[in-house]
Amino acid sequence: MAAIPPLPPQGARLHWKQAPKRLRDAFEAWAGSPVAEAVTQPSGFSPGVAARMLLADGRRVFVKAVGPDINPDSAGIHRREIRIISGMPEDVPAPRLLWSHDEGEGGWVALAFEDIEGEHPRQPWDLRELDRVLEALVALGERLTPNPLPPGVARGAAETFPREGWRTLRDEGGRRRQGLAPWYRSNLDLLAQLEAAVPEAVVGDTLVHFDIRADNILLSPDRVWFLDWPHALVGAAWIDVIVMAPSVTMQGGPPPEEVVAAHPACRTADPEGVTAVVAALAGVFTEWGSRPPPPGLPTLRPFQSAQASVARDWLLRRLGEA
């Protein structure tokens, strides 16, 4: 099993009291109760506030909030999550959105969710917990087929699935390309051709989370909860387990082939389409991992690079090169 990377999935967190007073006042006006305690939650790739709140009247909520000075893209990501989670069916195992606040362009965005009592999966992965998550992922795909959101709320995977990593490294990589093993440097044309086949491969009518990792999962005694939905796409039902697999292996779980083997949608998927998606993942994680860290996300690039290593090995095995 692979070692857990030294840097965990963490953004640069702010304490609730560091958020603008106008935002905190707006939250308490909605809640009808002052905040008695705010406990910052360290895990997850979003900068800004991420805190479990205890209100003076005894209620609990989870709040996340970000402003444009922390990371220029994060406010837009929060806005996209508001649109997606607002239309989610009640029985989907995702925390309900209770309140949102958007100051508009150049301002802060905040979301308040029901607080879920649960724990992230243990690291390294425990196989019993992994089985629970994979079973829940199958059920999630069945519930979200067909896509239950109104048209246009979630983007289509065929249009937006990242698939230009190898092409970028081939055409613009320069020194970043030099860190690749010789086989990859010699086969960048083939790799770019493989990833270019992604749009046709990922067509489907399932709402997929597209960012499932241990830090986006909570395990309660009777349920598996999937958190953080801003990147949700509409596409093939097997996308989520393929995208999740490299992080599982990277964090001490079994090889990707074993992670995806039991998923019914993967068993019926076109093998060449799956290989195209694995190639795209290997390419974008490799290319992203070679970039400087984005503002407020100091551990993102090492985390992506660790997933890239797993995805590249997986791709070699699928191509018969390992």
Short mmCIF file of all heavy atoms in Angstrom, two decimals, residues 89-153:
data_model
loop_
_atom_site.label_atom_id
_atom_site.label_comp_id
_atom_site.label_asym_id
_atom_site.label_seq_id
_atom_site.Cartn_x
_atom_site.Cartn_y
_atom_site.Cartn_z
N PRO A 89 -31.96 16.75 -4.12
CA PRO A 89 -33.09 16.09 -3.47
C PRO A 89 -32.83 15.86 -1.98
O PRO A 89 -31.69 15.65 -1.55
CB PRO A 89 -33.20 14.76 -4.22
CG PRO A 89 -32.58 15.02 -5.55
CD PRO A 89 -31.47 16.00 -5.29
N GLU A 90 -33.89 15.88 -1.19
CA GLU A 90 -33.78 15.78 0.27
C GLU A 90 -33.14 14.48 0.73
O GLU A 90 -32.48 14.44 1.77
CB GLU A 90 -35.17 15.92 0.90
CG GLU A 90 -35.77 17.31 0.81
CD GLU A 90 -35.18 18.27 1.82
OE1 GLU A 90 -34.71 17.80 2.88
OE2 GLU A 90 -35.18 19.48 1.56
N ASP A 91 -33.33 13.40 -0.02
CA ASP A 91 -32.85 12.10 0.45
C ASP A 91 -31.42 11.79 0.04
O ASP A 91 -30.91 10.70 0.33
CB ASP A 91 -33.79 10.98 -0.01
CG ASP A 91 -33.91 10.90 -1.53
OD1 ASP A 91 -33.58 11.89 -2.22
OD2 ASP A 91 -34.36 9.85 -2.03
N VAL A 92 -30.75 12.69 -0.65
CA VAL A 92 -29.35 12.48 -1.01
C VAL A 92 -28.48 12.69 0.23
O VAL A 92 -28.70 13.63 0.99
CB VAL A 92 -28.94 13.46 -2.13
CG1 VAL A 92 -27.43 13.41 -2.38
CG2 VAL A 92 -29.69 13.13 -3.41
N PRO A 93 -27.49 11.82 0.47
CA PRO A 93 -26.66 11.94 1.68
C PRO A 93 -25.64 13.07 1.57
O PRO A 93 -24.42 12.85 1.55
CB PRO A 93 -26.00 10.57 1.78
CG PRO A 93 -25.91 10.09 0.37
CD PRO A 93 -27.15 10.59 -0.30
N ALA A 94 -26.16 14.29 1.48
CA ALA A 94 -25.35 15.50 1.46
C ALA A 94 -25.95 16.46 2.47
O ALA A 94 -27.17 16.57 2.56
CB ALA A 94 -25.34 16.12 0.07
N PRO A 95 -25.13 17.16 3.25
CA PRO A 95 -25.69 18.10 4.23
C PRO A 95 -26.58 19.14 3.57
O PRO A 95 -26.27 19.65 2.49
CB PRO A 95 -24.44 18.74 4.84
CG PRO A 95 -23.34 17.76 4.59
CD PRO A 95 -23.66 17.11 3.29
N ARG A 96 -27.71 19.43 4.20
CA ARG A 96 -28.65 20.41 3.67
C ARG A 96 -28.10 21.82 3.85
O ARG A 96 -27.56 22.17 4.89
CB ARG A 96 -29.99 20.30 4.38
CG ARG A 96 -30.67 18.96 4.27
CD ARG A 96 -31.50 18.78 3.01
NE ARG A 96 -30.74 18.72 1.77
CZ ARG A 96 -30.05 17.64 1.36
NH1 ARG A 96 -30.03 16.54 2.08
NH2 ARG A 96 -29.40 17.67 0.22
N LEU A 97 -28.27 22.63 2.81
CA LEU A 97 -27.93 24.04 2.90
C LEU A 97 -29.04 24.77 3.65
O LEU A 97 -30.20 24.72 3.24
CB LEU A 97 -27.75 24.63 1.51
CG LEU A 97 -27.39 26.11 1.44
CD1 LEU A 97 -26.00 26.35 2.02
CD2 LEU A 97 -27.47 26.62 -0.01
N LEU A 98 -28.69 25.45 4.73
CA LEU A 98 -29.66 26.14 5.56
C LEU A 98 -29.73 27.64 5.27
O LEU A 98 -30.79 28.26 5.45
CB LEU A 98 -29.32 25.94 7.04
CG LEU A 98 -29.18 24.49 7.51
CD1 LEU A 98 -28.72 24.45 8.95
CD2 LEU A 98 -30.50 23.74 7.34
N TRP A 99 -28.60 28.21 4.85
CA TRP A 99 -28.52 29.66 4.67
C TRP A 99 -27.34 29.96 3.77
O TRP A 99 -26.34 29.25 3.79
CB TRP A 99 -28.33 30.34 6.03
CG TRP A 99 -28.03 31.79 6.02
CD1 TRP A 99 -28.92 32.82 5.88
CD2 TRP A 99 -26.74 32.42 6.19
NE1 TRP A 99 -28.27 34.05 5.95
CE2 TRP A 99 -26.92 33.82 6.16
CE3 TRP A 99 -25.45 31.93 6.39
CZ2 TRP A 99 -25.88 34.73 6.29
CZ3 TRP A 99 -24.39 32.82 6.53
CH2 TRP A 99 -24.62 34.21 6.48
N SER A 100 -27.46 31.00 2.98
CA SER A 100 -26.32 31.47 2.19
C SER A 100 -26.34 32.99 2.14
O SER A 100 -27.40 33.63 2.31
CB SER A 100 -26.33 30.89 0.78
OG SER A 100 -27.47 31.33 0.05
N HIS A 101 -25.19 33.55 1.93
CA HIS A 101 -25.03 35.01 1.94
C HIS A 101 -23.99 35.36 0.89
O HIS A 101 -22.87 34.86 0.93
CB HIS A 101 -24.58 35.49 3.33
CG HIS A 101 -24.42 36.96 3.44
ND1 HIS A 101 -25.48 37.82 3.62
CD2 HIS A 101 -23.30 37.74 3.40
CE1 HIS A 101 -25.03 39.06 3.71
NE2 HIS A 101 -23.71 39.04 3.58
N ASP A 102 -24.35 36.21 -0.07
CA ASP A 102 -23.46 36.56 -1.17
C ASP A 102 -23.42 38.08 -1.30
O ASP A 102 -24.44 38.71 -1.62
CB ASP A 102 -23.95 35.91 -2.46
CG ASP A 102 -22.98 36.10 -3.63
OD1 ASP A 102 -22.02 36.88 -3.49
OD2 ASP A 102 -23.20 35.47 -4.68
N GLU A 103 -22.26 38.65 -1.06
CA GLU A 103 -22.11 40.10 -1.15
C GLU A 103 -21.90 40.59 -2.58
O GLU A 103 -21.77 41.79 -2.81
CB GLU A 103 -20.95 40.56 -0.27
CG GLU A 103 -21.19 40.32 1.21
CD GLU A 103 -20.05 40.82 2.08
OE1 GLU A 103 -18.93 41.04 1.55
OE2 GLU A 103 -20.28 41.00 3.29
N GLY A 104 -21.87 39.66 -3.53
CA GLY A 104 -21.68 40.05 -4.91
C GLY A 104 -20.23 40.15 -5.30
O GLY A 104 -19.32 39.83 -4.53
N GLU A 105 -20.00 40.57 -6.53
CA GLU A 105 -18.65 40.64 -7.08
C GLU A 105 -17.73 41.41 -6.15
O GLU A 105 -18.02 42.54 -5.73
CB GLU A 105 -18.68 41.31 -8.45
CG GLU A 105 -17.39 41.20 -9.23
CD GLU A 105 -17.08 39.78 -9.65
OE1 GLU A 105 -18.02 38.99 -9.85
OE2 GLU A 105 -15.88 39.47 -9.79
N GLY A 106 -16.60 40.80 -5.82
CA GLY A 106 -15.63 41.43 -4.95
C GLY A 106 -15.93 41.32 -3.47
O GLY A 106 -15.20 41.88 -2.65
N GLY A 107 -17.00 40.60 -3.12
CA GLY A 107 -17.37 40.48 -1.71
C GLY A 107 -17.24 39.06 -1.20
O GLY A 107 -16.75 38.16 -1.88
N TRP A 108 -17.70 38.87 0.01
CA TRP A 108 -17.64 37.58 0.68
C TRP A 108 -18.86 36.72 0.32
O TRP A 108 -19.94 37.24 0.01
CB TRP A 108 -17.59 37.77 2.19
CG TRP A 108 -16.22 38.06 2.69
CD1 TRP A 108 -15.47 39.18 2.44
CD2 TRP A 108 -15.41 37.21 3.51
NE1 TRP A 108 -14.26 39.08 3.05
CE2 TRP A 108 -14.18 37.90 3.72
CE3 TRP A 108 -15.59 35.97 4.09
CZ2 TRP A 108 -13.15 37.36 4.48
CZ3 TRP A 108 -14.57 35.43 4.85
CH2 TRP A 108 -13.37 36.10 5.05
N VAL A 109 -18.65 35.40 0.36
CA VAL A 109 -19.72 34.42 0.15
C VAL A 109 -19.67 33.45 1.33
O VAL A 109 -18.60 32.98 1.71
CB VAL A 109 -19.56 33.66 -1.17
CG1 VAL A 109 -20.71 32.67 -1.36
CG2 VAL A 109 -19.50 34.63 -2.35
N ALA A 110 -20.84 33.16 1.90
CA ALA A 110 -20.91 32.24 3.05
C ALA A 110 -22.03 31.25 2.85
O ALA A 110 -23.06 31.56 2.22
CB ALA A 110 -21.13 33.02 4.34
N LEU A 111 -21.85 30.05 3.38
CA LEU A 111 -22.86 29.00 3.35
C LEU A 111 -22.95 28.40 4.74
O LEU A 111 -21.92 28.18 5.40
CB LEU A 111 -22.50 27.89 2.36
CG LEU A 111 -22.30 28.22 0.90
CD1 LEU A 111 -20.88 28.73 0.63
CD2 LEU A 111 -22.55 26.97 0.03
N ALA A 112 -24.16 28.10 5.19
CA ALA A 112 -24.38 27.40 6.45
C ALA A 112 -25.13 26.10 6.16
O ALA A 112 -26.17 26.12 5.50
CB ALA A 112 -25.18 28.27 7.42
N PHE A 113 -24.60 25.00 6.65
CA PHE A 113 -25.15 23.67 6.44
C PHE A 113 -25.59 23.05 7.76
O PHE A 113 -25.09 23.44 8.83
CB PHE A 113 -24.11 22.74 5.81
CG PHE A 113 -23.69 23.11 4.42
CD1 PHE A 113 -22.62 23.98 4.21
CD2 PHE A 113 -24.33 22.58 3.32
CE1 PHE A 113 -22.21 24.31 2.93
CE2 PHE A 113 -23.93 22.90 2.04
CZ PHE A 113 -22.87 23.77 1.83
N GLU A 114 -26.46 22.06 7.67
CA GLU A 114 -26.72 21.26 8.85
C GLU A 114 -25.40 20.62 9.29
O GLU A 114 -24.58 20.21 8.46
CB GLU A 114 -27.77 20.19 8.57
CG GLU A 114 -27.40 19.18 7.51
CD GLU A 114 -28.47 18.12 7.32
OE1 GLU A 114 -29.11 17.74 8.31
OE2 GLU A 114 -28.65 17.66 6.17
N ASP A 115 -25.18 20.55 10.58
CA ASP A 115 -23.96 19.97 11.11
C ASP A 115 -24.12 18.46 11.22
O ASP A 115 -25.08 17.97 11.83
CB ASP A 115 -23.66 20.57 12.48
CG ASP A 115 -22.32 20.12 13.02
OD1 ASP A 115 -21.31 20.32 12.32
OD2 ASP A 115 -22.28 19.56 14.13
N ILE A 116 -23.21 17.73 10.61
CA ILE A 116 -23.27 16.27 10.59
C ILE A 116 -22.33 15.71 11.65
O ILE A 116 -21.13 16.04 11.66
CB ILE A 116 -22.87 15.72 9.20
CG1 ILE A 116 -23.77 16.30 8.11
CG2 ILE A 116 -22.92 14.20 9.21
CD1 ILE A 116 -25.23 15.97 8.25
N GLU A 117 -22.87 14.89 12.52
CA GLU A 117 -22.03 14.19 13.50
C GLU A 117 -21.40 12.98 12.82
O GLU A 117 -22.08 12.01 12.48
CB GLU A 117 -22.87 13.75 14.70
CG GLU A 117 -23.32 14.89 15.59
CD GLU A 117 -22.18 15.48 16.41
OE1 GLU A 117 -21.13 14.82 16.51
OE2 GLU A 117 -22.35 16.59 16.94
N GLY A 118 -20.12 13.04 12.59
CA GLY A 118 -19.44 11.95 11.93
C GLY A 118 -17.95 12.17 11.90
O GLY A 118 -17.44 13.20 12.36
N GLU A 119 -17.24 11.20 11.36
CA GLU A 119 -15.79 11.26 11.27
C GLU A 119 -15.36 11.00 9.83
O GLU A 119 -16.01 10.24 9.11
CB GLU A 119 -15.13 10.20 12.18
CG GLU A 119 -15.51 10.32 13.64
CD GLU A 119 -14.88 11.52 14.31
OE1 GLU A 119 -13.86 12.04 13.76
OE2 GLU A 119 -15.39 11.94 15.37
N HIS A 120 -14.26 11.63 9.43
CA HIS A 120 -13.68 11.30 8.14
C HIS A 120 -13.13 9.87 8.18
O HIS A 120 -12.74 9.37 9.25
CB HIS A 120 -12.54 12.27 7.81
CG HIS A 120 -12.99 13.68 7.61
ND1 HIS A 120 -13.84 14.06 6.59
CD2 HIS A 120 -12.70 14.82 8.29
CE1 HIS A 120 -14.06 15.35 6.65
NE2 HIS A 120 -13.39 15.84 7.68
N PRO A 121 -13.09 9.18 7.05
CA PRO A 121 -12.48 7.85 7.04
C PRO A 121 -11.05 7.89 7.59
O PRO A 121 -10.31 8.86 7.39
CB PRO A 121 -12.48 7.48 5.55
CG PRO A 121 -13.61 8.27 4.97
CD PRO A 121 -13.62 9.55 5.73
N ARG A 122 -10.69 6.83 8.27
CA ARG A 122 -9.35 6.77 8.86
C ARG A 122 -8.27 6.68 7.79
O ARG A 122 -8.50 6.15 6.70
CB ARG A 122 -9.26 5.55 9.78
CG ARG A 122 -9.96 5.74 11.11
CD ARG A 122 -10.00 4.45 11.91
NE ARG A 122 -11.01 3.53 11.38
CZ ARG A 122 -11.31 2.37 11.94
NH1 ARG A 122 -10.65 1.97 13.02
NH2 ARG A 122 -12.25 1.60 11.43
N GLN A 123 -7.11 7.21 8.13
CA GLN A 123 -5.95 7.15 7.25
C GLN A 123 -4.80 6.46 7.97
O GLN A 123 -4.48 6.85 9.10
CB GLN A 123 -5.53 8.56 6.84
CG GLN A 123 -6.64 9.39 6.21
CD GLN A 123 -7.12 8.82 4.91
OE1 GLN A 123 -6.37 8.76 3.94
NE2 GLN A 123 -8.38 8.38 4.88
N PRO A 124 -4.17 5.43 7.39
CA PRO A 124 -4.50 4.83 6.11
C PRO A 124 -5.92 4.26 6.08
O PRO A 124 -6.51 3.99 7.13
CB PRO A 124 -3.46 3.70 5.97
CG PRO A 124 -2.40 4.02 6.95
CD PRO A 124 -3.07 4.74 8.08
N TRP A 125 -6.43 4.08 4.87
CA TRP A 125 -7.80 3.60 4.72
C TRP A 125 -8.00 2.25 5.42
O TRP A 125 -7.19 1.34 5.29
CB TRP A 125 -8.14 3.45 3.25
CG TRP A 125 -8.67 4.70 2.62
CD1 TRP A 125 -7.95 5.67 2.01
CD2 TRP A 125 -10.05 5.09 2.53
NE1 TRP A 125 -8.79 6.66 1.54
CE2 TRP A 125 -10.09 6.33 1.84
CE3 TRP A 125 -11.25 4.52 2.96
CZ2 TRP A 125 -11.28 7.00 1.57
CZ3 TRP A 125 -12.44 5.18 2.69
CH2 TRP A 125 -12.45 6.41 2.02
N ASP A 126 -9.09 2.15 6.14
CA ASP A 126 -9.55 0.89 6.71
C ASP A 126 -10.45 0.23 5.66
O ASP A 126 -11.37 0.87 5.13
CB ASP A 126 -10.34 1.16 7.99
CG ASP A 126 -10.92 -0.10 8.59
OD1 ASP A 126 -12.03 -0.49 8.17
OD2 ASP A 126 -10.28 -0.69 9.46
N LEU A 127 -10.20 -1.03 5.35
CA LEU A 127 -10.92 -1.69 4.25
C LEU A 127 -12.42 -1.80 4.52
O LEU A 127 -13.23 -1.73 3.59
CB LEU A 127 -10.33 -3.07 3.96
CG LEU A 127 -8.90 -3.07 3.41
CD1 LEU A 127 -8.44 -4.50 3.13
CD2 LEU A 127 -8.80 -2.22 2.15
N ARG A 128 -12.81 -1.94 5.78
CA ARG A 128 -14.24 -1.99 6.09
C ARG A 128 -14.90 -0.64 5.83
O ARG A 128 -16.02 -0.57 5.29
CB ARG A 128 -14.45 -2.44 7.53
CG ARG A 128 -14.09 -3.90 7.79
CD ARG A 128 -14.01 -4.19 9.27
NE ARG A 128 -12.95 -3.42 9.91
CZ ARG A 128 -12.64 -3.50 11.19
NH1 ARG A 128 -13.32 -4.31 11.99
NH2 ARG A 128 -11.67 -2.77 11.70
N GLU A 129 -14.22 0.42 6.19
CA GLU A 129 -14.75 1.74 5.90
C GLU A 129 -14.78 2.01 4.39
O GLU A 129 -15.73 2.61 3.87
CB GLU A 129 -13.93 2.81 6.61
CG GLU A 129 -14.09 2.79 8.12
CD GLU A 129 -13.37 3.92 8.82
OE1 GLU A 129 -12.52 4.59 8.16
OE2 GLU A 129 -13.64 4.13 10.01
N LEU A 130 -13.76 1.55 3.70
CA LEU A 130 -13.74 1.72 2.24
C LEU A 130 -14.91 0.99 1.60
O LEU A 130 -15.56 1.53 0.69
CB LEU A 130 -12.41 1.22 1.67
CG LEU A 130 -12.26 1.32 0.15
CD1 LEU A 130 -12.40 2.76 -0.32
CD2 LEU A 130 -10.91 0.75 -0.28
N ASP A 131 -15.20 -0.22 2.06
CA ASP A 131 -16.35 -0.95 1.52
C ASP A 131 -17.64 -0.17 1.75
O ASP A 131 -18.51 -0.12 0.87
CB ASP A 131 -16.44 -2.33 2.16
CG ASP A 131 -15.39 -3.30 1.65
OD1 ASP A 131 -14.81 -3.02 0.58
OD2 ASP A 131 -15.16 -4.33 2.32
N ARG A 132 -17.79 0.41 2.93
CA ARG A 132 -18.98 1.23 3.21
C ARG A 132 -19.10 2.38 2.22
O ARG A 132 -20.18 2.67 1.69
CB ARG A 132 -18.92 1.81 4.62
CG ARG A 132 -19.28 0.90 5.76
CD ARG A 132 -19.39 1.71 7.05
NE ARG A 132 -20.52 2.63 7.01
CZ ARG A 132 -20.71 3.62 7.88
NH1 ARG A 132 -19.84 3.84 8.85
NH2 ARG A 132 -21.76 4.40 7.78
N VAL A 133 -17.98 3.06 1.99
CA VAL A 133 -17.99 4.21 1.10
C VAL A 133 -18.32 3.79 -0.33
O VAL A 133 -19.13 4.43 -1.01
CB VAL A 133 -16.64 4.94 1.16
CG1 VAL A 133 -16.54 6.00 0.06
CG2 VAL A 133 -16.44 5.58 2.53
N LEU A 134 -17.72 2.70 -0.79
CA LEU A 134 -17.97 2.26 -2.16
C LEU A 134 -19.42 1.81 -2.36
O LEU A 134 -20.03 2.09 -3.39
CB LEU A 134 -17.00 1.13 -2.53
CG LEU A 134 -15.52 1.56 -2.61
CD1 LEU A 134 -14.64 0.35 -2.84
CD2 LEU A 134 -15.32 2.59 -3.71
N GLU A 135 -19.99 1.13 -1.37
CA GLU A 135 -21.40 0.77 -1.46
C GLU A 135 -22.28 2.01 -1.50
O GLU A 135 -23.25 2.08 -2.27
CB GLU A 135 -21.78 -0.11 -0.26
CG GLU A 135 -21.19 -1.51 -0.30
CD GLU A 135 -21.50 -2.30 0.96
OE1 GLU A 135 -22.30 -1.80 1.79
OE2 GLU A 135 -20.96 -3.41 1.12
N ALA A 136 -21.95 3.00 -0.68
CA ALA A 136 -22.72 4.24 -0.67
C ALA A 136 -22.57 5.00 -1.98
O ALA A 136 -23.51 5.65 -2.45
CB ALA A 136 -22.28 5.12 0.50
N LEU A 137 -21.40 4.89 -2.60
CA LEU A 137 -21.16 5.57 -3.86
C LEU A 137 -22.02 4.96 -4.97
O LEU A 137 -22.54 5.68 -5.84
CB LEU A 137 -19.68 5.48 -4.22
CG LEU A 137 -19.19 6.35 -5.37
CD1 LEU A 137 -19.50 7.81 -5.12
CD2 LEU A 137 -17.69 6.15 -5.56
N VAL A 138 -22.17 3.64 -4.96
CA VAL A 138 -23.06 2.99 -5.93
C VAL A 138 -24.50 3.48 -5.75
O VAL A 138 -25.19 3.84 -6.71
CB VAL A 138 -22.98 1.46 -5.80
CG1 VAL A 138 -24.04 0.79 -6.69
CG2 VAL A 138 -21.59 0.95 -6.17
N ALA A 139 -24.95 3.49 -4.49
CA ALA A 139 -26.31 3.96 -4.21
C ALA A 139 -26.49 5.42 -4.60
O ALA A 139 -27.55 5.83 -5.09
CB ALA A 139 -26.64 3.75 -2.74
N LEU A 140 -25.45 6.24 -4.37
CA LEU A 140 -25.52 7.65 -4.73
C LEU A 140 -25.71 7.81 -6.24
O LEU A 140 -26.55 8.61 -6.70
CB LEU A 140 -24.25 8.36 -4.29
CG LEU A 140 -24.18 9.86 -4.56
CD1 LEU A 140 -25.14 10.61 -3.65
CD2 LEU A 140 -22.75 10.37 -4.36
N GLY A 141 -24.94 7.05 -7.02
CA GLY A 141 -25.08 7.13 -8.47
C GLY A 141 -26.46 6.71 -8.95
O GLY A 141 -27.02 7.32 -9.87
N GLU A 142 -27.02 5.70 -8.31
CA GLU A 142 -28.37 5.26 -8.70
C GLU A 142 -29.39 6.34 -8.38
O GLU A 142 -30.31 6.61 -9.18
CB GLU A 142 -28.71 3.96 -7.97
CG GLU A 142 -27.87 2.77 -8.43
CD GLU A 142 -28.08 1.54 -7.57
OE1 GLU A 142 -28.73 1.66 -6.50
OE2 GLU A 142 -27.59 0.45 -7.96
N ARG A 143 -29.23 7.00 -7.22
CA ARG A 143 -30.20 8.04 -6.84
C ARG A 143 -30.09 9.28 -7.73
O ARG A 143 -31.09 9.97 -7.97
CB ARG A 143 -29.95 8.45 -5.37
CG ARG A 143 -30.86 9.59 -4.88
CD ARG A 143 -32.33 9.19 -4.96
NE ARG A 143 -33.21 10.29 -4.65
CZ ARG A 143 -33.70 11.16 -5.55
NH1 ARG A 143 -33.32 11.07 -6.82
NH2 ARG A 143 -34.53 12.11 -5.17
N LEU A 144 -28.89 9.55 -8.22
CA LEU A 144 -28.68 10.77 -9.00
C LEU A 144 -28.70 10.52 -10.51
O LEU A 144 -28.18 11.31 -11.30
CB LEU A 144 -27.36 11.41 -8.58
CG LEU A 144 -27.34 11.93 -7.14
CD1 LEU A 144 -25.99 12.54 -6.80
CD2 LEU A 144 -28.45 12.95 -6.90
N THR A 145 -29.31 9.40 -10.90
CA THR A 145 -29.55 9.09 -12.30
C THR A 145 -31.07 8.93 -12.51
O THR A 145 -31.68 8.11 -11.85
CB THR A 145 -28.85 7.79 -12.73
OG1 THR A 145 -27.45 7.86 -12.41
CG2 THR A 145 -29.02 7.55 -14.23
N PRO A 146 -31.67 9.74 -13.37
CA PRO A 146 -31.06 10.83 -14.12
C PRO A 146 -30.75 12.03 -13.24
O PRO A 146 -31.25 12.12 -12.11
CB PRO A 146 -32.14 11.18 -15.15
CG PRO A 146 -33.43 10.83 -14.46
CD PRO A 146 -33.11 9.58 -13.66
N ASN A 147 -29.95 12.94 -13.76
CA ASN A 147 -29.59 14.15 -13.04
C ASN A 147 -30.84 14.86 -12.55
O ASN A 147 -31.70 15.25 -13.34
CB ASN A 147 -28.79 15.05 -13.99
CG ASN A 147 -28.65 16.46 -13.46
OD1 ASN A 147 -28.53 16.69 -12.25
ND2 ASN A 147 -28.66 17.42 -14.37
N PRO A 148 -30.98 15.06 -11.21
CA PRO A 148 -32.19 15.67 -10.68
C PRO A 148 -32.20 17.19 -10.68
O PRO A 148 -33.24 17.79 -10.35
CB PRO A 148 -32.22 15.15 -9.24
CG PRO A 148 -30.78 15.03 -8.88
CD PRO A 148 -30.07 14.60 -10.14
N LEU A 149 -31.09 17.83 -11.02
CA LEU A 149 -31.03 19.28 -10.96
C LEU A 149 -31.67 19.91 -12.19
O LEU A 149 -31.72 19.30 -13.27
CB LEU A 149 -29.57 19.75 -10.85
CG LEU A 149 -28.79 19.28 -9.63
CD1 LEU A 149 -27.40 19.91 -9.65
CD2 LEU A 149 -29.51 19.62 -8.35
N PRO A 150 -32.15 21.13 -12.07
CA PRO A 150 -32.69 21.83 -13.24
C PRO A 150 -31.64 21.97 -14.33
O PRO A 150 -30.43 22.02 -14.05
CB PRO A 150 -33.10 23.20 -12.68
CG PRO A 150 -33.28 22.97 -11.21
CD PRO A 150 -32.28 21.92 -10.83
N PRO A 151 -32.07 22.06 -15.59
CA PRO A 151 -31.10 22.20 -16.69
C PRO A 151 -30.18 23.40 -16.49
O PRO A 151 -30.61 24.47 -16.08
CB PRO A 151 -32.00 22.38 -17.91
CG PRO A 151 -33.29 21.74 -17.54
CD PRO A 151 -33.46 21.98 -16.07
N GLY A 152 -28.91 23.18 -16.77
CA GLY A 152 -27.94 24.26 -16.71
C GLY A 152 -27.30 24.50 -15.37
O GLY A 152 -26.33 25.28 -15.28
N VAL A 153 -27.79 23.87 -14.30
CA VAL A 153 -27.20 24.10 -12.98
C VAL A 153 -25.83 23.45 -12.87
O VAL A 153 -24.87 24.06 -12.39
CB VAL A 153 -28.14 23.61 -11.86
CG1 VAL A 153 -27.45 23.69 -10.50
CG2 VAL A 153 -29.43 24.42 -11.85
#
